[in-house]
């Protein structure tokens, strides 16, 4: 069970690791993901649904979304994962961006 859980955590970390890549790559992925979120928010608005936080292009910015994503999701996960696996290269890349 522990091995399976660790595998799931590593796959999740890899999925969100774009913010730790070289700055031009991280910025391009940030742009793509933000546009995907805004497109979903546009559709939610069109359907009269509540717009998911950070998905409303009229009330959110990519910079603010990225800071929250890094501070509250990526950094804590990477810090914990680094206690069992050496992912210092991801953490260094994250700090550089």
């Amino acid at each position: 069970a522990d091995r399976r859980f660790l595998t799931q955590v590593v796959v999740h970390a890899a999925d969100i690791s774009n913010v730790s890549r070289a700055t031009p790559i991280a910025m391009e992925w940030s742009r793509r993901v933000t546009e995907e979120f805004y497109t979903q928010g546009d559709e939610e608005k069109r359907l009269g649904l509540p717009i998911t936080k950070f998905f409303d292009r009229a009330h959110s910015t990519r910079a603010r979304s990225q800071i929250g994503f890094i501070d509250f999701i990526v950094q804590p996960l990477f810090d914990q994962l680094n206690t069992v696996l050496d992912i210092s290269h991801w953490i260094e890349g994250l700090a550089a961006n």
Side-chain angles (χ1 to χ4, degrees):
D2 289 340
R3 183 174 287 179
R4 180 182 166 103
F5 176 71
L6 181 58
T7 300
Q8 291 172 332
V9 171
V10 169
V11 168
H12 178 63
D15 185 45
I16 63 173
S17 69
N18 286 319
V19 294
S20 69
R21 296 177 184 265
T23 301
I25 295 169
M27 294 296 289
E28 176 60 21
W29 277 106
S30 172
R31 185 194 65 75
R32 290 177 185 203
V33 168
T34 301
E35 186 54 37
E36 180 181 335
F37 288 171
Y38 287 165
T39 299
Q40 179 177 327
D42 294 345
E43 184 66 6
E44 290 169 346
K45 184 176 184 178
R46 186 185 72 76
L47 294 171
L49 299 170
I51 301 174
T52 304
K53 186 173 179 144
F54 300 118
F55 288 21
D56 187 349
R57 67 177 75 237
H59 297 101
S60 183
T61 66
R62 182 173 8 141
R64 193 170 47 187
S65 296
Q66 283 297 106
I67 290 169
F69 178 62
I70 291 168
D71 288 350
F72 297 105
I73 296 173
V74 180
Q75 188 73 57
L77 177 63
F78 282 14
D79 289 344
Q80 290 301 307
L81 186 56
N82 198 48
T83 66
V84 293
L85 295 172
D86 180 12
I87 61 162
S88 56
H89 59 287
W90 280 354
I91 293 173
E92 290 164 6
L94 191 59
N97 288 332

